[in-house]
Amino acid sequence: LRQGVELSLLLLLLLLGSLACLVPPWGAAAVRVHPRDVSNLAWLASEWNGFNGSDTWSLSYADCRAMEGIRCDRDGRVIAIELGLKNFQAPIPAMISRFTRLRYLTLLFCQLTGPLPNTLCDLPSLVSLNLGGNSISGTLPDGFSRLVSLEYLILGVNRISGPIDLLSSLVHLTHLNLRQNFFNGSLPSELGNFTTLTVLNFDGNLFSGSIPPSMGEMSLLQQMVLSFNQLSGTIPDSLGHLRGLTHLALAGNQLTGSIPDSFSALDSLTDLILMDNLLSGSIPTALASLPKLRAIMASSNQLSGSIPAALGDLLLLDYLSLSYNPMSGSIPTAIGKLTNLMLLDLSGNQFYGTVPSSLSDLSKLQYLFLTNNQFWGTIEPITRTMRNLRMLFLSWNQFSGRLPSPASSTLEQYQVDTNFFTHGEVKFKNCSAVTWTTDANCLAASASVCGRASTQRTAAVCAAFCGVEIGATGPVCGGHGYCSVNAFIGEGECVCDPNYMLDSSNTNACVAGATGASLESGSAYVSLWGSASVLSNGSILLTTGTPNQQGAAFASPTLRLFHFPDKRSRCGTELGFLAAFSFAMTPGNHGSGGEGLAFVVAAASPGKGASVGLGGVGRRSVGVEFDSVLSVKHSDPNDNHVGVNVGGSPVSLASATAPLILNDAQTKHTWIRYDPTSGGTLRVFLSSDPVQPLTPTLTASVSLCSILKPTASDSLFLFGFVALSGSQPQAHTILSWNVTTDATTLAI
């Protein structure tokens, strides 16, 4: 959107600038056109039958200043032909070379056709060639490299094809615009020699291959537009050397790799346009150091990770588009500081959580797109303050409560279908000007938009969303949690806030405390083995960063995982559990990993002198490992994975690549959920944010009954952690953890 407006304005400025040259200097002394050029102009006028101003070129008006679009030097020789918006419908004639002193040739939107004549290259004094907006075809003439005096070359919006190697010698160019043609081939590395270039625009061509690193040597460049070509490979780090660059547009290519950290040096940059590529990795936090940045457009890539909270420091930002990437996490509260923001597009990702109330400060916001994510909670109070909204897209989320009702008089589109909104009456300032849909919610019959109701979900579907009733005005999950929906089966379960648990009599409500005992953080006793120790802040240091260390920590008391009302039953009533913890693992030498750490449920802790690893906790155990080393003999998938191990075996029953780098010393938040129904399912969630994702990293079918083999007199089990540094100096720290069963909470 922004790019299209800017390019249109640029084209208009070029046109106005060219036409401004057509005004004759009436105050200047008369200059008689040289007889040779009088005949040349008459010939040129005859070639362009559609030139309705050619009468000013007749012999009776031999005064140069009276001729439309003509400028002469003191000798009366024509040095400039500058025309626009003509209907020539003819090619540039070969006789153009007769104007031997021509320096400026502008024929903008004149409906020129055919190829460029070879004789055009016989104008050694040509400084500016502007032929934009025509239907010129063919390739660049063979002699184009002879136009070594050219400073302005504008051939945009034509049908010219072929490579551009012939331009390599035009090292005095300051403006090079070839946009919207059919140029192809690779970008010459010689472009790095264009050290006077300020504007380069190759948008909308067929260039292929990689971006030459030498382009980072164009030290005066202010605008680089390479969008909508067929470029591949990575973005060169050298582009970070272009300290004067204000506009960088690489959209619509096949670029791979990450956004270079070197972009943090582009302190003049205002627009970063990267959408429609194959870029991966995360959004560099370093972009927050660019004080003039007004637009980040990176939609439709393969970017991952979360939105850096530091982007909230970009106080001039107008446009932030990260749509259709596999990004996750929640919206940082700091985004609310972007009070100049006009567009926020996060559609088609895996974002989750509530929309922070700080977004209500975005009073200039015109476009809010959150479609197709996993947001939950109410959003109505936030949109109420957005008085300039033009488009509101919230479809395909898990929003609930009252329908949003923005107080905007400019609203055009309102899309909130496929959520779990339950009530509200919305009346726009101008209902006839708004296109809207509220289908597939849980709205009461009295709910409406501009007095019109819509098709809603069935009562059964709404009830599967954590017991929501059609038209209900109360909060989901008792107001102390959110509803986690499995989109594949159309059902949800309440995930409670910290210090809240599911009500034993109502699994759709979160209540304080629990039906069993509860221990506050830090009150449980911790048994330590090997190198493990408890730090002053309560964290548990399992290994200290020395090679070949082993450490373990288990909580006491034990937790009951099985209830035996009938002592003769095999496993009695099996209870589920949730373990929520955060940890950090440092890298080893040269970024290598150690043996990692594991969360363990076991019948016994390591004995004196026993191995502290998974094998040291016995066969009646289940572990979830976070492994940063590849062991071929243990069938590891890679050196950064999560696995479920049973019976003390080092070979994982199931494994998956971790969505984050495990051993980068950053805090990782983990949730391990065990559901005893249907034979037992263990789900592992991993995130850099303290909010549980809705999609698990790993799901494994595991029966604790079969592995732990409980009896009526042996139904209490240990929860804890083990870690091994192996041959690497890797440190493992458990920063906090909490284990909850269906009847008891254990917090350490």
Side-chain angles (χ1 to χ4, degrees):
L1 179 65
R2 178 185 175 93
Q3 185 184 17
V5 171
E6 287 184 343
L7 292 177
S8 298
L9 288 174
L10 178 61
L11 196 58
L12 180 60
L13 289 173
L14 288 172
L15 175 60
L16 293 176
S18 298
L19 295 181
C21 300
L22 308 186
V23 179
W26 296 112
V31 177
R32 292 282 180 181
V33 181
H34 192 281
R36 181 180 299 175
D37 282 348
V38 168
S39 60
N40 290 338
L41 288 172
W43 192 325
L44 188 58
S46 67
E47 293 285 328
W48 290 334
N49 294 323
F51 180 27
N52 55 13
S54 60
D55 56 339
T56 65
W57 290 6
S58 66
L59 292 175
S60 59
Y61 293 94
D63 186 351
C64 186
R65 63 179 186 171
M67 293 184 173
E68 181 183 352
I70 301 299
R71 285 188 290 154
C72 302
D73 60 16
R74 293 179 179 179
D75 298 329
R77 302 304 300 271
V78 173
I79 62 170
I81 301 174
E82 298 166 319
L83 299 170
L85 301 176
K86 300 300 180 183
N87 187 25
F88 293 156
Q89 297 189 26
I92 300 174
M95 55 77 57
I96 194 72
S97 61
R98 296 182 181 181
F99 297 97
T100 56
R101 296 192 187 180
L102 194 65
R103 302 189 66 203
Y104 307 95
L105 179 59
T106 297
L107 301 171
L108 195 62
F109 292 98
C110 290
Q111 299 192 37
L112 294 170
T113 61
L116 295 172
N118 287 323
T119 54
L120 188 66
C121 308
D122 297 327
L123 298 172
S125 300
L126 202 62
V127 172
S128 174
L129 178 60
N130 186 347
L131 304 177
N134 289 287
S135 298
I136 300 171
S137 58
T139 60
L140 295 177
D142 291 339
F144 215 82
S145 59
R146 300 200 303 270
L147 298 176
V148 293
S149 298
L150 269 183
E151 298 177 9
Y152 291 80
L153 177 57
I154 301 175
L155 301 177
V157 195
N158 278 286
R159 300 175 182 176
I160 308 172
S161 59
I164 61 170
D165 296 334
L166 292 171
L167 303 182
S168 299
S169 61
L170 309 184
V171 295
H172 298 297
L173 284 173
T174 61
H175 288 68
L176 177 56
N177 187 333
L178 307 180
R179 64 184 292 261
Q180 293 190 30
N181 276 281
F182 296 94
F183 288 109
N184 54 34
S186 59
L187 298 178
S189 60
E190 288 81 3
L191 288 172
N193 298 328
F194 289 21
T195 55
T196 59
L197 200 66
T198 59
V199 175
L200 183 148
N201 191 336
F202 291 171
D203 172 74
N205 280 280
L206 300 173
F207 291 115
S208 59
S210 59
I211 300 174
S214 61
M215 294 184 73
E217 300 171 12
M218 296 185 288
S219 55
L220 297 183
L221 199 65
Q222 298 175 14
Q223 297 183 27
M224 178 187 290
V225 183
L226 302 177
S227 299
F228 301 104
N229 282 278
Q230 299 173 9
L231 298 171
S232 58
T234 60
I235 301 174
D237 288 335
S238 60
L239 297 190
H241 302 160
L242 303 176
R243 301 296 296 272
L245 199 65
T246 61
H247 185 89
L248 177 59
L250 306 177
N253 285 286
Q254 300 165 24
L255 298 172
T256 57
S258 59
I259 301 173
D261 290 333
S262 63
F263 280 8
S264 61
L266 300 177
D267 44 20
S268 297
L269 196 67
T270 60
D271 302 288
L272 180 59
I273 315 297
L274 303 174
M275 64 271 201
D276 296 312
N277 278 288
L278 301 172
L279 298 174
S280 58
S282 58
I283 302 292
T285 302
L287 292 182
S289 65
L290 304 180
K292 299 180 181 179
L293 203 58
R294 304 185 72 96
I296 299 176
M297 311 294 279
S299 60
S300 299
N301 278 283
Q302 297 176 7
L303 298 170
S304 58
S306 57
I307 303 172
L311 294 186
D313 296 332
L314 296 173
L315 301 183
L316 298 181
L317 202 66
D318 295 327
Y319 300 88
L320 177 59
S321 177
L322 304 174
S323 60
Y324 297 98
N325 284 285
M327 296 183 67
S328 59
S330 56
I331 300 177
T333 301
I335 296 298
K337 296 191 298 182
L338 303 177
T339 54
N340 285 310
L341 205 62
M342 292 188 288
L343 178 144
L344 178 60
D345 188 357
L346 305 180
S347 301
N349 280 279
Q350 299 169 21
F351 293 121
Y352 53 79
T354 58
V355 176
S357 59
S358 61
L359 264 61
S360 61
D361 295 330
L362 304 181
S363 59
K364 296 182 181 179
L365 198 66
Q366 298 181 25
Y367 305 93
L368 178 58
F369 302 132
L370 302 180
T371 301
N372 199 13
N373 279 286
Q374 298 166 1
F375 292 115
W376 59 73
T378 180
I379 193 173
E380 190 271 337
I382 298 170
T383 59
R384 195 185 305 160
T385 61
M386 296 178 178
R387 300 185 177 275
N388 292 296
L389 269 184
R390 301 173 67 91
M391 296 183 183
L392 177 64
F393 284 58
L394 305 178
S395 306
W396 291 95
N397 279 287
Q398 298 165 26
F399 289 116
S400 57
R402 183 182 294 274
L403 283 170
S405 184
S408 172
S409 60
T410 58
L411 197 66
E412 299 171 2
Q413 295 196 48
Y414 177 90
Q415 310 289 334
V416 300
D417 58 284
T418 321
N419 279 283
F420 292 90
F421 292 114
T422 55
H423 61 288
E425 293 185 36
V426 180
K427 292 183 179 180
F428 304 125
K429 298 276 186 179
N430 184 359
C431 287
S432 62
V434 182
T435 301
W436 76 84
T437 175
T438 58
D439 292 345
N441 278 285
C442 298
L443 294 170
S446 59
S448 64
V449 175
C450 291
R452 192 177 76 189
S454 53
T455 305
Q456 299 301 304
R457 300 178 188 268
T458 65
V461 172
C462 293
F465 181 76
C466 299
V468 167
E469 297 180 3
I470 290 181
T473 58
V476 175
C477 299
H480 299 295
Y482 64 90
C483 190
S484 172
V485 174
N486 186 325
F488 295 100
I489 63 175
E491 296 181 359
E493 62 178 13
C494 285
V495 177
C496 298
D497 295 335
N499 301 320
Y500 285 85
M501 295 185 62
L502 290 178
D503 189 334
S504 59
S505 61
N506 180 8
T507 56
N508 293 318
C510 297
V511 296
T515 57
S518 176
L519 298 176
E520 297 299 326
S521 178
S523 62
Y525 178 72
V526 180
S527 298
L528 304 173
W529 279 264
S531 59
S533 62
V534 177
L535 304 180
S536 59
N537 62 1
S539 300
I540 300 173
L541 185 63
L542 296 172
T543 65
T544 64
T546 301
N548 302 312
Q549 283 190 329
Q550 303 180 38
F554 283 82
S556 180
T558 52
L559 287 181
R560 186 178 300 280
L561 286 178
F562 302 88
H563 179 54
F564 285 86
D566 181 359
K567 295 184 179 180
R568 293 172 298 177
S569 64
R570 178 170 174 260
C571 287
T573 301
E574 190 173 1
L575 307 179
F577 72 82
L578 165 65
F581 57 92
S582 60
F583 68 89
M585 291 166 38
T586 63
N589 292 327
H590 309 295
S592 299
E595 298 292 336
L597 62 85
F599 168 81
V600 176
V601 182
S605 57
K608 183 177 181 180
S611 168
V612 177
L614 287 170
V617 293
R619 297 185 61 82
R620 296 173 62 196
S621 66
V622 175
V624 177
E625 68 171 4
F626 302 86
D627 201 345
S628 58
V629 68
L630 172 62
S631 175
V632 176
K633 70 176 181 179
H634 295 156
S635 302
D636 289 345
N638 51 49
D639 61 354
N640 191 69
H641 64 273
V642 179
V644 174
N645 300 56
V646 300
S649 172
V651 179
S652 296
L653 175 70
S655 61
T657 300
L660 308 167
I661 302 300
L662 295 174
N663 63 332
D664 62 357
Q666 301 300 311
T667 300
K668 306 294 182 297
H669 299 275
T670 306
W671 298 261
I672 300 174
R673 291 181 170 273
Y674 177 68
D675 180 1
T677 61
S678 302
T681 303
L682 199 65
R683 291 178 292 165
V684 183
F685 303 81
L686 189 63
S687 175
S688 59
D689 292 323
V691 179
Q692 179 195 307
L694 296 181
T695 304
T697 298
L698 175 63
T699 300
S701 297
V702 176
S703 171
L704 291 189
C705 171
S706 300
I707 299 166
L708 299 181
K709 303 184 185 306
T711 64
S713 59
D714 185 12
S715 61
L716 300 174
F717 293 88
L718 290 163
F719 291 78
F721 297 89
V722 298
L724 294 88
S725 60
S727 61
Q728 296 291 331
Q730 187 176 57
H732 303 83
T733 307
I734 305 301
L735 302 171
S736 63
W737 60 301
N738 176 288
V739 180
T740 303
T741 69
D742 289 344
T744 307
T745 298
L746 177 65
I748 298 176

